[in-house]
Amino acid sequence: MGESKPKSTGVWPTVKPFVNGGASGMLATCVIQPIDMIKVRIQLGQGSAAEVTRNMLKNEGFGAFYKGLSAGLLRQATYTTARLGSFKILTNKAVEANDGKPLPLYQKALCGLTAGAIGASVGSPADLALIRMQADATLPAAQRRNYTNAFHALSRIVADEGVLALWKGAGPTVVRAMALNMGMLASYDQSVEFFKDSLGFGEASTVLGASTVSGFFAAACSLPFDYVKTQIQKMQPDAQGKYPYTDDLDIPEPDPETGEVCGIVILILSGDWRSFQSE
């Protein structure tokens, strides 16, 4: 009879998922930072992808595509580390509770939703710094914040707006992360089953195809919340220290015949739902 493999003990098995998650996320950020910059500029109404790229190269130079990289790396070091690490721990606990049996899709989805919420809550300050640094060049010269790096941005936000301002836009950030994880997990599992069992793809082709489909659905599920998050996080307080949520968001007035659903969603996600109730 073969002996069972001894279970790893010590700190490393617990820390390993967090380290691997953070390192992989930071490496990915170095690759996708220019694409993310273009996405944010599009969300801020700077034109199409081609127009944004052309204008940035002409007016700001190639280095502008990596503006906010320090904040992007810090975001991955916090958000992705917490998200992937907590997802691994949650799924391991769930497998133990299932007596070692594979998890059904709904349990994987619940673990993903929870891990996404945890990661987004931890990474929200760095995400705020990233959006502001990426959006800074779109503001009038007198309104630009001119953050030099992520830590300068965080210290300025605390000094100018208070500690709680670090979690400005945390509502849509958390919902976005939950939607992203939900779309990613559900579509990946279903795609693997389709490519492998129905189409007879090999291992490499299955992984590539399922990853492509998963990425598409993750983006599709999270993009509405990502748009709201970007709009809220780039705002500046007025003279009274209040944020003009509905005025600053580039969203049309709700149709009286269909109700004020859009306004309610924006105000709830921005944490300003009480002001809506009082109107």
Side-chain angles (χ1 to χ4, degrees):
M1 294 179 63
E3 296 182 359
S4 59
K5 189 176 180 180
K7 195 170 184 179
S8 300
T9 58
V11 177
W12 177 242
T14 302
V15 174
K16 184 179 178 181
F18 293 90
V19 174
N20 288 345
S24 61
M26 293 173 76
L27 179 61
T29 289
C30 293
V31 177
I32 67 168
Q33 180 72 9
I35 300 173
D36 190 61
M37 169 65 86
I38 294 171
K39 180 209 70 172
V40 169
R41 292 291 181 90
I42 293 172
Q43 290 176 329
L44 295 176
Q46 298 298 299
S48 66
E51 291 172 333
V52 168
T53 303
R54 184 171 57 251
N55 291 334
M56 287 182 65
L57 285 173
K58 179 181 178 182
N59 301 325
E60 304 172 57
F62 181 77
F65 290 96
Y66 281 91
K67 187 173 178 62
L69 179 60
S70 62
L73 293 173
L74 180 61
R75 176 181 179 274
Q76 294 297 343
T78 51
Y79 164 67
T80 304
T81 296
R83 179 173 68 92
L84 296 184
S86 58
F87 178 72
K88 186 67 174 178
I89 290 175
L90 289 169
T91 51
N92 287 343
K93 293 293 183 182
V95 168
E96 288 180 11
N98 282 6
D99 297 323
K101 298 176 183 177
L103 297 180
L105 180 59
Y106 82 91
Q107 288 189 357
K108 290 180 181 178
L110 287 175
C111 290
L113 288 170
T114 304
I118 293 171
S121 299
V122 174
S124 190
D127 192 59
L128 172 63
L130 172 62
I131 294 297
R132 288 193 174 183
M133 292 178 74
Q134 289 178 322
D136 208 38
T138 67
L139 298 172
Q143 296 180 19
R144 292 178 187 174
R145 299 176 172 98
N146 298 314
Y147 299 144
T148 56
N149 56 59
F151 297 104
H152 178 235
L154 295 176
S155 63
R156 279 273 306 277
I157 292 170
V158 171
D160 297 343
E161 305 168 49
V163 175
L164 293 180
L166 292 174
W167 280 270
K168 184 169 177 281
T173 300
V174 170
V175 176
R176 170 191 175 275
M178 294 172 69
L180 185 147
N181 277 270
M182 182 67 175
M184 183 184 297
L185 286 171
S187 60
Y188 185 82
D189 275 22
Q190 291 302 114
S191 298
V192 166
E193 182 179 332
F194 176 73
F195 286 123
K196 192 172 184 179
D197 299 337
S198 300
L199 299 182
F201 281 16
E203 188 69 26
S205 300
T206 296
V207 170
L208 179 61
S211 298
T212 302
V213 174
S214 174
F216 172 81
F217 279 101
C221 290
S222 63
L223 190 58
F225 305 103
D226 188 67
Y227 173 77
V228 174
K229 173 185 75 69
T230 298
Q231 294 289 333
I232 292 173
Q233 288 179 326
K234 64 103 175 180
M235 293 179 185
Q236 298 211 51
D238 58 20
Q240 287 73 42
K242 296 182 179 180
Y243 294 94
Y245 292 115
T246 53
D247 292 337
D248 228 19
L249 288 172
D250 187 19
I251 295 176
E253 289 294 323
D255 188 339
E257 296 182 2
T258 58
E260 299 186 357
V261 176
C262 181
I264 294 173
V265 170
I266 298 303
L267 288 166
I268 289 176
L269 291 178
S270 66
D272 199 35
W273 61 275
R274 289 187 179 85
S275 67
F276 182 87
Q277 286 184 322
S278 63
E279 290 181 357

Coordinates of all heavy atoms in Angstrom, one line a residue, residues 89-184:
I89 N -8.0 29.8 -0.5 CA -8.3 29.4 0.9 C -9.8 29.0 1.0 O -10.2 27.9 1.5 CB -8.0 30.5 1.9 CG1 -6.5 30.6 2.0 CG2 -8.6 30.2 3.2 CD1 -6.1 31.8 2.9
L90 N -10.7 29.8 0.4 CA -12.1 29.5 0.4 C -12.5 28.2 -0.3 O -13.2 27.4 0.2 CB -12.9 30.6 -0.2 CG -13.0 31.9 0.6 CD1 -13.5 33.1 -0.2 CD2 -13.8 31.8 1.9
T91 N -11.9 28.0 -1.5 CA -12.2 26.7 -2.2 C -11.6 25.5 -1.5 O -12.2 24.5 -1.5 CB -11.6 26.8 -3.6 OG1 -10.2 27.2 -3.6 CG2 -12.3 27.8 -4.5
N92 N -10.4 25.7 -0.9 CA -9.9 24.5 -0.1 C -10.8 24.2 1.1 O -11.0 23.0 1.3 CB -8.5 24.9 0.4 CG -7.4 24.9 -0.7 OD1 -7.6 24.3 -1.8 ND2 -6.3 25.5 -0.5
K93 N -11.3 25.2 1.8 CA -12.2 24.9 2.9 C -13.5 24.3 2.4 O -14.0 23.4 3.0 CB -12.5 26.2 3.6 CG -11.3 26.9 4.3 CD -10.9 26.0 5.5 CE -9.8 26.7 6.3 NZ -9.3 25.9 7.4
A94 N -14.0 24.7 1.2 CA -15.2 24.2 0.7 C -15.0 22.7 0.2 O -15.9 21.9 0.4 CB -15.7 25.0 -0.5
V95 N -13.8 22.4 -0.3 CA -13.5 21.0 -0.7 C -13.5 20.1 0.5 O -14.0 19.0 0.5 CB -12.2 21.0 -1.5 CG1 -11.7 19.5 -1.7 CG2 -12.4 21.6 -2.9
E96 N -12.8 20.6 1.6 CA -12.8 19.8 2.8 C -14.2 19.6 3.3 O -14.5 18.5 3.8 CB -12.0 20.6 3.9 CG -10.5 20.6 3.6 CD -9.7 21.4 4.7 OE1 -10.3 21.7 5.7 OE2 -8.5 21.7 4.5
A97 N -15.0 20.6 3.3 CA -16.4 20.4 3.7 C -17.2 19.4 2.8 O -18.2 18.8 3.3 CB -17.1 21.7 3.7
N98 N -16.8 19.3 1.6 CA -17.4 18.3 0.6 C -16.8 17.0 0.6 O -16.9 16.2 -0.3 CB -17.4 18.9 -0.8 CG -18.4 20.0 -1.0 OD1 -19.1 20.4 -0.1 ND2 -18.5 20.4 -2.3
D99 N -16.0 16.7 1.7 CA -15.3 15.4 1.8 C -14.3 15.1 0.6 O -14.2 14.0 0.2 CB -16.3 14.3 2.0 CG -17.1 14.4 3.2 OD1 -16.5 14.8 4.3 OD2 -18.3 14.1 3.2
G100 N -13.7 16.2 0.1 CA -12.7 16.0 -1.0 C -13.3 16.0 -2.3 O -12.6 15.8 -3.3
K101 N -14.6 16.0 -2.5 CA -15.3 16.0 -3.8 C -15.1 17.3 -4.5 O -15.1 18.3 -3.9 CB -16.8 15.6 -3.7 CG -17.0 14.2 -3.0 CD -18.5 14.0 -2.8 CE -18.7 12.7 -2.1 NZ -20.2 12.5 -1.8
P102 N -15.1 17.3 -5.9 CA -15.0 18.5 -6.6 C -16.2 19.4 -6.3 O -17.3 18.9 -6.1 CB -15.1 18.0 -8.1 CG -14.6 16.6 -8.1 CD -15.1 16.1 -6.8
L103 N -16.0 20.7 -6.4 CA -17.0 21.7 -6.0 C -18.0 21.8 -7.2 O -17.6 21.9 -8.4 CB -16.4 23.0 -5.7 CG -15.5 23.1 -4.5 CD1 -15.0 24.6 -4.3 CD2 -16.3 22.7 -3.2
P104 N -19.3 21.9 -6.9 CA -20.2 22.3 -8.0 C -20.0 23.7 -8.4 O -19.4 24.5 -7.7 CB -21.6 22.0 -7.4 CG -21.4 22.1 -5.9 CD -20.0 21.6 -5.7
L105 N -20.6 24.1 -9.6 CA -20.3 25.4 -10.1 C -20.8 26.5 -9.2 O -20.1 27.5 -9.0 CB -21.0 25.5 -11.5 CG -20.9 26.9 -12.2 CD1 -19.4 27.2 -12.4 CD2 -21.7 26.9 -13.5
Y106 N -22.0 26.3 -8.5 CA -22.5 27.4 -7.7 C -21.6 27.7 -6.5 O -21.5 28.8 -6.0 CB -23.9 27.1 -7.3 CG -24.1 26.1 -6.1 CD1 -24.1 26.7 -4.8 CD2 -24.1 24.8 -6.2 CE1 -24.2 25.8 -3.7 CE2 -24.2 23.9 -5.2 CZ -24.3 24.4 -3.9 OH -24.4 23.6 -2.8
Q107 N -20.9 26.6 -6.0 CA -20.0 26.8 -4.8 C -18.8 27.6 -5.3 O -18.2 28.4 -4.6 CB -19.7 25.5 -4.2 CG -20.8 24.9 -3.4 CD -20.4 23.7 -2.6 OE1 -19.2 23.3 -2.6 NE2 -21.3 23.1 -1.8
K108 N -18.3 27.2 -6.5 CA -17.1 27.9 -7.0 C -17.5 29.4 -7.3 O -16.7 30.3 -7.0 CB -16.7 27.3 -8.4 CG -16.1 26.0 -8.2 CD -15.7 25.4 -9.6 CE -15.0 24.1 -9.5 NZ -14.7 23.5 -10.9
A109 N -18.7 29.6 -7.7 CA -19.1 31.0 -8.0 C -19.2 31.8 -6.7 O -18.8 33.0 -6.6 CB -20.5 31.0 -8.7
L110 N -19.8 31.2 -5.6 CA -19.9 31.8 -4.3 C -18.5 32.2 -3.8 O -18.3 33.3 -3.2 CB -20.6 31.0 -3.4 CG -22.2 30.9 -3.6 CD1 -22.8 29.9 -2.6 CD2 -22.8 32.2 -3.4
C111 N -17.5 31.2 -3.9 CA -16.2 31.5 -3.5 C -15.6 32.6 -4.3 O -14.9 33.5 -3.7 CB -15.3 30.2 -3.6 SG -15.7 28.9 -2.5
G112 N -15.8 32.7 -5.6 CA -15.3 33.7 -6.4 C -15.9 35.1 -6.1 O -15.2 36.1 -6.0
L113 N -17.2 35.1 -5.8 CA -17.9 36.4 -5.5 C -17.3 36.9 -4.1 O -17.0 38.1 -4.0 CB -19.4 36.2 -5.3 CG -20.2 35.9 -6.6 CD1 -21.6 35.5 -6.3 CD2 -20.2 37.2 -7.4
T114 N -17.1 36.0 -3.2 CA -16.6 36.4 -1.9 C -15.2 36.9 -2.0 O -14.8 38.0 -1.4 CB -16.7 35.3 -0.9 OG1 -18.0 34.8 -0.8 CG2 -16.2 35.7 0.5
A115 N -14.3 36.2 -2.7 CA -13.0 36.6 -2.9 C -12.8 37.9 -3.7 O -12.0 38.7 -3.3 CB -12.2 35.5 -3.7
G116 N -13.7 38.1 -4.6 CA -13.7 39.4 -5.4 C -14.0 40.5 -4.5 O -13.4 41.6 -4.6
A117 N -15.0 40.4 -3.6 CA -15.4 41.4 -2.7 C -14.3 41.7 -1.7 O -14.0 42.9 -1.4 CB -16.7 41.0 -1.9
I118 N -13.6 40.7 -1.2 CA -12.5 40.9 -0.3 C -11.3 41.6 -0.9 O -10.8 42.6 -0.4 CB -12.0 39.5 0.3 CG1 -13.1 38.9 1.2 CG2 -10.7 39.7 1.1 CD1 -12.8 37.5 1.6
G119 N -11.0 41.2 -2.1 CA -9.9 41.8 -2.9 C -10.1 43.2 -3.2 O -9.3 44.1 -3.1
A120 N -11.4 43.5 -3.7 CA -11.7 44.9 -4.1 C -11.7 45.8 -2.9 O -11.3 47.0 -3.0 CB -13.1 44.9 -4.7
S121 N -12.1 45.3 -1.7 CA -12.1 46.2 -0.5 C -10.7 46.5 -0.1 O -10.4 47.7 0.3 CB -12.9 45.4 0.6 OG -14.2 45.2 0.3
V122 N -9.8 45.6 -0.2 CA -8.4 45.8 0.2 C -7.7 46.7 -0.9 O -6.9 47.6 -0.5 CB -7.7 44.4 0.3 CG1 -6.2 44.7 0.5 CG2 -8.3 43.6 1.5
G123 N -8.0 46.5 -2.1 CA -7.3 47.2 -3.2 C -7.9 48.5 -3.6 O -7.4 49.2 -4.5
S124 N -9.0 48.9 -3.1 CA -9.7 50.1 -3.5 C -8.9 51.4 -3.4 O -8.9 52.2 -4.4 CB -11.0 50.3 -2.7 OG -11.8 51.3 -3.3
P125 N -8.1 51.6 -2.4 CA -7.3 52.8 -2.3 C -6.3 52.9 -3.5 O -6.1 54.0 -4.1 CB -6.6 52.7 -1.0 CG -7.5 51.9 -0.1 CD -8.1 50.9 -1.0
A126 N -5.6 51.8 -3.8 CA -4.7 51.8 -4.9 C -5.4 52.0 -6.2 O -4.9 52.6 -7.1 CB -3.9 50.5 -4.9
D127 N -6.6 51.4 -6.3 CA -7.4 51.6 -7.6 C -7.8 53.0 -7.8 O -7.8 53.5 -8.9 CB -8.6 50.7 -7.5 CG -9.3 50.6 -8.8 OD1 -8.7 50.1 -9.8 OD2 -10.5 50.9 -8.9
L128 N -8.1 53.7 -6.7 CA -8.5 55.1 -6.7 C -7.3 55.9 -7.2 O -7.4 56.8 -8.1 CB -8.9 55.6 -5.3 CG -9.2 57.1 -5.2 CD1 -10.3 57.6 -6.1 CD2 -9.5 57.4 -3.7
A129 N -6.1 55.7 -6.7 CA -4.9 56.4 -7.1 C -4.6 56.1 -8.5 O -4.2 57.1 -9.3 CB -3.7 55.9 -6.2
L130 N -4.8 54.9 -9.0 CA -4.5 54.6 -10.4 C -5.5 55.3 -11.3 O -5.0 55.9 -12.3 CB -4.7 53.1 -10.6 CG -4.7 52.5 -12.1 CD1 -3.3 52.8 -12.7 CD2 -5.0 51.1 -12.1
I131 N -6.8 55.4 -11.1 CA -7.7 56.0 -11.9 C -7.4 57.5 -12.0 O -7.4 58.2 -13.0 CB -9.2 55.8 -11.4 CG1 -9.6 54.4 -11.6 CG2 -10.1 56.7 -12.2 CD1 -9.5 53.9 -13.0
R132 N -7.1 58.1 -10.8 CA -6.8 59.6 -10.8 C -5.5 59.9 -11.6 O -5.5 60.9 -12.3 CB -6.7 60.0 -9.4 CG -8.0 60.1 -8.7 CD -8.0 60.8 -7.4 NE -9.3 61.0 -6.7 CZ -9.5 61.7 -5.6 NH1 -8.5 62.3 -5.0 NH2 -10.7 61.8 -5.1
M133 N -4.5 59.1 -11.5 CA -3.3 59.3 -12.2 C -3.5 59.2 -13.7 O -3.0 59.9 -14.5 CB -2.2 58.4 -11.7 CG -1.7 58.7 -10.3 SD -0.5 57.6 -9.7 CE 1.0 58.2 -10.6
Q134 N -4.3 58.2 -14.1 CA -4.6 58.0 -15.5 C -5.5 59.1 -16.1 O -5.4 59.4 -17.3 CB -5.3 56.6 -15.7 CG -4.4 55.4 -15.5 CD -5.1 54.1 -15.6 OE1 -6.2 54.0 -15.2 NE2 -4.4 53.1 -16.2
A135 N -6.4 59.6 -15.3 CA -7.3 60.6 -15.8 C -6.8 62.1 -15.6 O -7.4 63.0 -16.2 CB -8.6 60.5 -15.0
D136 N -5.6 62.3 -15.0 CA -5.2 63.6 -14.7 C -5.0 64.5 -15.9 O -5.3 65.7 -15.9 CB -3.8 63.5 -13.9 CG -3.6 64.7 -13.0 OD1 -4.6 65.2 -12.4 OD2 -2.5 65.2 -12.8
A137 N -4.4 63.9 -17.0 CA -4.2 64.7 -18.2 C -5.4 65.2 -18.9 O -5.4 66.1 -19.7 CB -3.3 63.9 -19.1
T138 N -6.6 64.6 -18.5 CA -7.8 65.0 -19.2 C -8.5 66.2 -18.5 O -9.4 66.7 -19.0 CB -8.8 63.8 -19.2 OG1 -9.3 63.5 -17.8 CG2 -8.2 62.5 -19.8
L139 N -8.0 66.6 -17.4 CA -8.5 67.7 -16.6 C -7.9 69.0 -17.1 O -6.8 69.0 -17.6 CB -8.3 67.5 -15.1 CG -8.9 66.3 -14.4 CD1 -8.4 66.2 -13.0 CD2 -10.4 66.4 -14.5
P140 N -8.6 70.1 -16.9 CA -7.9 71.4 -17.1 C -6.7 71.6 -16.3 O -6.6 71.0 -15.2 CB -9.0 72.4 -16.7 CG -10.3 71.7 -16.8 CD -10.0 70.3 -16.4
A141 N -5.7 72.3 -16.8 CA -4.4 72.4 -16.1 C -4.5 72.8 -14.6 O -3.8 72.3 -13.8 CB -3.5 73.4 -16.8
A142 N -5.5 73.7 -14.3 CA -5.6 74.2 -13.0 C -6.2 73.2 -12.0 O -6.1 73.3 -10.8 CB -6.5 75.5 -13.0
Q143 N -6.9 72.2 -12.6 CA -7.5 71.2 -11.7 C -6.7 69.9 -11.6 O -7.1 69.0 -10.9 CB -8.9 70.8 -12.3 CG -9.9 72.0 -12.3 CD -11.2 71.6 -12.9 OE1 -11.6 70.4 -13.0 NE2 -12.0 72.6 -13.3
R144 N -5.6 69.8 -12.3 CA -4.8 68.6 -12.3 C -4.2 68.4 -10.9 O -3.7 69.3 -10.3 CB -3.7 68.6 -13.3 CG -4.3 68.5 -14.7 CD -3.3 68.6 -15.8 NE -3.9 68.7 -17.1 CZ -3.3 68.9 -18.3 NH1 -2.0 69.0 -18.3 NH2 -4.0 69.0 -19.4
R145 N -4.1 67.1 -10.5 CA -3.6 66.8 -9.1 C -2.0 66.6 -9.2 O -1.4 66.8 -8.2 CB -4.2 65.5 -8.6 CG -5.8 65.7 -8.5 CD -6.4 64.4 -8.1 NE -7.8 64.5 -7.7 CZ -8.8 64.3 -8.5 NH1 -8.6 63.9 -9.8 NH2 -10.1 64.4 -8.1
N146 N -1.5 66.2 -10.3 CA -0.1 66.0 -10.5 C 0.6 65.1 -9.5 O 1.6 65.4 -8.9 CB 0.6 67.4 -10.5 CG 0.2 68.3 -11.6 OD1 0.1 67.9 -12.7 ND2 -0.1 69.6 -11.2
Y147 N -0.1 64.0 -9.2 CA 0.5 63.0 -8.4 C 1.8 62.4 -9.1 O 1.8 62.1 -10.2 CB -0.4 61.8 -8.1 CG -1.7 62.2 -7.4 CD1 -2.9 61.6 -7.8 CD2 -1.8 63.2 -6.4 CE1 -4.1 61.9 -7.1 CE2 -3.0 63.5 -5.8 CZ -4.1 62.8 -6.1 OH -5.3 63.2 -5.5
T148 N 2.8 62.2 -8.3 CA 4.1 61.7 -8.9 C 4.2 60.2 -8.8 O 4.8 59.6 -9.7 CB 5.3 62.3 -8.1 OG1 5.2 62.0 -6.7 CG2 5.4 63.8 -8.3
N149 N 3.6 59.6 -7.8 CA 3.5 58.1 -7.7 C 2.4 57.7 -6.8 O 1.7 58.6 -6.3 CB 4.9 57.6 -7.2 CG 5.2 58.2 -5.9 OD1 4.5 58.1 -4.9 ND2 6.4 58.8 -5.8
A150 N 2.2 56.4 -6.7 CA 1.0 55.9 -5.9 C 1.0 56.4 -4.5 O 0.0 56.8 -4.0 CB 1.0 54.4 -6.0
F151 N 2.2 56.3 -3.8 CA 2.2 56.7 -2.4 C 2.0 58.2 -2.2 O 1.4 58.7 -1.2 CB 3.6 56.3 -1.8 CG 3.7 54.8 -1.8 CD1 4.6 54.2 -2.7 CD2 3.0 54.0 -0.9 CE1 4.7 52.8 -2.8 CE2 3.1 52.6 -0.9 CZ 4.0 52.0 -1.9
H152 N 2.5 59.0 -3.2 CA 2.2 60.4 -3.2 C 0.7 60.7 -3.3 O 0.2 61.6 -2.6 CB 3.0 61.2 -4.3 CG 2.8 62.6 -4.3 ND1 2.3 63.3 -5.5 CD2 2.8 63.6 -3.4 CE1 2.2 64.6 -5.2 NE2 2.5 64.8 -4.0
A153 N 0.1 59.9 -4.2 CA -1.3 60.1 -4.4 C -2.1 59.7 -3.2 O -3.0 60.5 -2.7 CB -1.8 59.2 -5.6
L154 N -1.8 58.6 -2.5 CA -2.5 58.2 -1.3 C -2.3 59.2 -0.2 O -3.3 59.5 0.5 CB -2.0 56.8 -0.9 CG -2.3 55.7 -1.9 CD1 -1.7 54.4 -1.4 CD2 -3.8 55.5 -2.1
S155 N -1.1 59.7 0.0 CA -0.9 60.7 1.1 C -1.6 62.0 0.8 O -2.1 62.6 1.7 CB 0.6 60.9 1.2 OG 1.2 61.5 0.1
R156 N -1.6 62.4 -0.5 CA -2.4 63.7 -0.8 C -3.9 63.5 -0.6 O -4.6 64.4 -0.1 CB -2.1 64.0 -2.3 CG -0.8 64.7 -2.5 CD -0.9 66.3 -2.3 NE -2.0 66.8 -3.1 CZ -1.9 67.1 -4.4 NH1 -0.7 66.9 -5.1 NH2 -2.9 67.5 -5.1
I157 N -4.4 62.3 -1.0 CA -5.8 62.1 -0.8 C -6.2 62.1 0.7 O -7.2 62.7 1.1 CB -6.2 60.7 -1.4 CG1 -6.1 60.8 -2.9 CG2 -7.7 60.3 -1.0 CD1 -6.2 59.4 -3.6
V158 N -5.4 61.5 1.5 CA -5.7 61.5 3.0 C -5.6 62.9 3.5 O -6.4 63.4 4.3 CB -4.7 60.6 3.7 CG1 -4.8 60.8 5.2 CG2 -4.9 59.1 3.3
A159 N -4.5 63.7 3.1 CA -4.3 65.0 3.6 C -5.4 66.0 3.2 O -5.9 66.8 3.9 CB -3.0 65.6 3.2
D160 N -5.9 65.9 1.9 CA -6.8 66.8 1.3 C -8.3 66.4 1.6 O -9.2 67.3 1.7 CB -6.6 66.9 -0.2 CG -5.2 67.5 -0.5 OD1 -4.6 68.1 0.4 OD2 -4.8 67.3 -1.7
E161 N -8.6 65.1 1.6 CA -10.0 64.7 1.7 C -10.3 63.8 2.8 O -11.5 63.4 3.0 CB -10.3 63.9 0.3 CG -10.0 64.8 -0.9 CD -10.0 63.9 -2.2 OE1 -11.0 63.2 -2.4 OE2 -9.1 64.0 -3.0
G162 N -9.3 63.3 3.6 CA -9.6 62.5 4.7 C -9.3 61.0 4.4 O -9.3 60.6 3.2
V163 N -9.2 60.2 5.4 CA -8.8 58.8 5.3 C -9.9 58.0 4.5 O -9.6 57.2 3.6 CB -8.6 58.1 6.6 CG1 -8.3 56.6 6.5 CG2 -7.3 58.7 7.3
L164 N -11.2 58.3 4.8 CA -12.3 57.6 4.2 C -12.4 57.8 2.7 O -12.9 57.0 2.0 CB -13.6 57.9 4.9 CG -13.8 57.5 6.3 CD1 -15.1 57.9 6.9 CD2 -13.6 56.0 6.5
A165 N -11.8 58.9 2.2 CA -11.8 59.2 0.8 C -11.0 58.1 0.0 O -11.2 58.0 -1.2 CB -11.2 60.6 0.5
L166 N -10.1 57.4 0.7 CA -9.4 56.3 0.0 C -10.3 55.2 -0.5 O -9.9 54.5 -1.4 CB -8.4 55.7 1.0 CG -7.2 56.6 1.4 CD1 -6.4 55.9 2.5 CD2 -6.3 56.9 0.2
W167 N -11.5 55.1 0.1 CA -12.5 54.1 -0.4 C -13.6 54.8 -1.2 O -14.6 54.2 -1.3 CB -13.0 53.3 0.8 CG -12.0 52.3 1.2 CD1 -12.0 51.0 0.8 CD2 -11.0 52.4 2.2 NE1 -11.0 50.3 1.4 CE2 -10.3 51.2 2.3 CE3 -10.5 53.5 2.9 CZ2 -9.2 51.0 3.1 CZ3 -9.4 53.3 3.8 CH2 -8.8 52.1 3.8
K168 N -13.3 55.9 -1.8 CA -14.3 56.6 -2.7 C -14.5 55.7 -3.9 O -13.5 55.3 -4.6 CB -13.7 57.9 -3.1 CG -14.7 58.8 -3.9 CD -14.1 60.2 -4.0 CE -14.9 61.1 -4.9 NZ -14.7 60.8 -6.3
G169 N -15.7 55.4 -4.2 CA -16.0 54.5 -5.3 C -15.9 53.0 -5.0 O -15.9 52.2 -5.9
A170 N -15.7 52.7 -3.7 CA -15.5 51.3 -3.3 C -16.7 50.5 -3.6 O -16.6 49.3 -3.9 CB -15.2 51.3 -1.8
G171 N -17.9 51.1 -3.6 CA -19.2 50.3 -3.9 C -19.1 49.7 -5.2 O -19.2 48.4 -5.4
P172 N -19.0 50.5 -6.3 CA -18.9 49.9 -7.7 C -17.6 49.1 -7.9 O -17.6 48.2 -8.7 CB -19.0 51.1 -8.6 CG -18.6 52.3 -7.8 CD -19.1 52.0 -6.4
T173 N -16.6 49.4 -7.1 CA -15.3 48.6 -7.2 C -15.6 47.2 -6.8 O -15.2 46.2 -7.4 CB -14.2 49.2 -6.4 OG1 -13.9 50.6 -6.9 CG2 -12.9 48.4 -6.5
V174 N -16.3 47.0 -5.6 CA -16.6 45.7 -5.1 C -17.5 45.0 -6.0 O -17.3 43.8 -6.3 CB -17.1 45.9 -3.6 CG1 -17.7 44.5 -3.2 CG2 -16.1 46.4 -2.7
V175 N -18.6 45.7 -6.4 CA -19.6 45.0 -7.3 C -18.9 44.6 -8.6 O -19.2 43.5 -9.1 CB -20.8 46.0 -7.6 CG1 -21.7 45.3 -8.6 CG2 -21.5 46.3 -6.3
R176 N -18.0 45.4 -9.1 CA -17.3 45.1 -10.4 C -16.5 43.8 -10.2 O -16.5 42.9 -11.0 CB -16.4 46.3 -10.8 CG -15.4 45.9 -11.9 CD -14.4 47.0 -12.1 NE -13.4 46.7 -13.0 CZ -12.3 45.9 -12.8 NH1 -12.1 45.4 -11.6 NH2 -11.4 45.7 -13.8
A177 N -15.8 43.8 -9.1 CA -14.9 42.6 -8.8 C -15.8 41.3 -8.7 O -15.4 40.2 -9.2 CB -14.1 42.8 -7.6
M178 N -16.9 41.4 -8.0 CA -17.8 40.3 -7.9 C -18.4 39.9 -9.2 O -18.4 38.7 -9.5 CB -18.9 40.6 -6.9 CG -18.5 40.9 -5.5 SD -19.7 41.5 -4.4 CE -20.8 40.1 -4.2
A179 N -18.8 40.8 -10.0 CA -19.3 40.5 -11.3 C -18.3 39.9 -12.2 O -18.5 38.9 -13.0 CB -19.9 41.8 -12.0
L180 N -17.0 40.4 -12.2 CA -15.9 39.9 -13.0 C -15.7 38.5 -12.6 O -15.5 37.6 -13.5 CB -14.7 40.8 -12.7 CG -13.5 40.4 -13.6 CD1 -12.7 41.7 -13.9 CD2 -12.5 39.5 -12.9
N181 N -15.6 38.2 -11.3 CA -15.3 36.8 -10.9 C -16.4 35.8 -11.2 O -16.2 34.7 -11.6 CB -15.0 36.8 -9.4 CG -13.6 37.2 -9.0 OD1 -12.8 36.3 -8.9 ND2 -13.4 38.4 -8.8
M182 N -17.6 36.3 -11.1 CA -18.8 35.5 -11.4 C -18.8 35.1 -12.9 O -18.9 34.0 -13.3 CB -20.1 36.2 -11.1 CG -21.3 35.4 -11.4 SD -21.5 34.0 -10.3 CE -23.1 33.5 -10.8
G183 N -18.6 36.1 -13.8 CA -18.6 35.9 -15.2 C -17.4 35.0 -15.6 O -17.5 34.1 -16.5
M184 N -16.3 35.2 -15.0 CA -15.0 34.5 -15.3 C -15.2 33.0 -14.9 O -14.9 32.1 -15.8 CB -13.8 35.1 -14.6 CG -12.5 34.4 -14.9 SD -11.2 35.1 -13.8 CE -11.2 36.8 -14.4

